[in-house]
Amino acid sequence: MEALTGSQLATYSGPMAMPAVSDDDDRQADAVFKALSDRSRRLLLDMLRERNGQTLTELCAGLLMARQSVSKHLAVLESASLVTTVRRGREKLHYLNPTPINEVAERWISQYDQARVSALSDLKRALEGRA
């Protein structure tokens, strides 16, 4: 009997082998997952989804958090390209960029049957009583 190499790529061949993903794609996905891992950052993204183009002051008004903390969370979101900014005079407006989330979703959900995942999601919402 042969000993296992410990390498997943050597152990598995064919459909179980690791998909070819570039290092840049992996780094981007890591940044997106890190950014989304914090509840406060998800709340900031929700606030921008509801009303895009908010200033730091406007974003701070909806949170029980110091201005400096919100700035740090926004910096993490910007580094993951989930938030983009535009200067308008002295104001800095923050905008949601959903593209990185979509790319991660396509990467992970494309491996599964999209229709089945969507049906299960609809069923979950119906059972939980959400519209």
Side-chain angles (χ1 to χ4, degrees), residues 24 27-36 41 71-85 97 100:
D24 288 339
R27 276 192 283 278
Q28 178 63 26
D30 288 346
V32 170
F33 281 118
K34 176 187 174 191
L36 293 175
R41 290 192 284 267
S71 291
K72 287 182 178 183
H73 284 302
L74 287 170
V76 172
L77 292 169
E78 284 183 60
S79 69
S81 300
L82 292 168
V83 169
T84 59
T85 59
N97 177 19

Side-chain angles (χ1 to χ4, degrees), residues 30 32 39 51 70 91 98 104 118 121:
D30 288 346
V32 170
R39 184 178 189 275
R51 190 171 64 85
V70 175
E91 293 182 322
V104 168
S118 184
S121 180

Side-chain angles (χ1 to χ4, degrees), residues 109 112-122:
I109 295 175
Y112 307 101
D113 183 13
Q114 178 65 38
R116 189 172 301 147
V117 170
S118 184
L120 288 173
S121 180
D122 291 343

Side-chain angles (χ1 to χ4, degrees), residues 95-115:
Y95 292 91
L96 173 65
N97 177 19
T99 305
I101 295 172
N102 187 53
E103 289 172 352
V104 168
E106 284 179 353
R107 175 179 170 186
W108 291 93
I109 295 175
S110 67
Q111 295 180 12
Y112 307 101
D113 183 13
Q114 178 65 38

